Amino acid sequence: MSHASNVSQENPWNNWLGETQIILEQNRTFVPLRLVSEGLGQKVEWDKIGRWVWIGNKDFRSTDEKSFKLTKLSYFKAYTKSTEYIKNLEKETYPGVKIIKESDLPIQQGNSQVVYSINLVKGSWT
């Protein structure tokens, strides 16, 4: 048995660490996410559009799930002076809204569009 194979038996991580740099800083050990994930058998993928790293399956929660219930628009009347904001292009009033939180992201809407982030916009609308 060679020295290299003996080392591999003692520390199986040596088989796939290769030339990867591990950083020790302030009593913490940092290792590349791709290295650990792939070492554990998970697929790693970079999403250019959302700028997300996906580990494992690229499954999105959907606003069509039962946990996202319609909230009545009457709860929001105090926040708007016009009902135009709560109507669709055919001028029909929406039956309600589905509330999502930042912690729900990324999430797939009913039309298959994926929402990666929510940004607060301040302004005055009439």
Side-chain angles (χ1 to χ4, degrees), residues 30-44:
F30 296 89
V31 295
L33 188 58
R34 178 177 293 278
L35 175 78
V36 173
S37 301
E38 289 178 348
L40 295 171
Q42 295 296 315
K43 183 173 118 179
V44 178

Side-chain angles (χ1 to χ4, degrees), residues 78-125:
Y79 299 102
T80 181
K81 295 177 184 173
S82 171
T83 59
E84 292 302 312
Y85 299 114
I86 59 174
K87 293 185 179 181
N88 62 21
L89 295 175
E90 287 79 34
K91 303 291 184 197
E92 301 165 334
T93 302
Y94 289 108
V97 294
K98 292 185 178 183
I99 308 295
I100 60 171
K101 303 178 296 280
E102 192 171 15
S103 60
D104 295 324
L105 301 177
I107 191 164
Q108 188 169 17
Q109 295 179 327
N111 63 0
S112 297
Q113 181 179 2
V114 177
V115 177
Y116 291 96
S117 63
I118 301 172
N119 300 311
L120 178 63
V121 178
K122 293 183 179 181
S124 61
W125 293 275

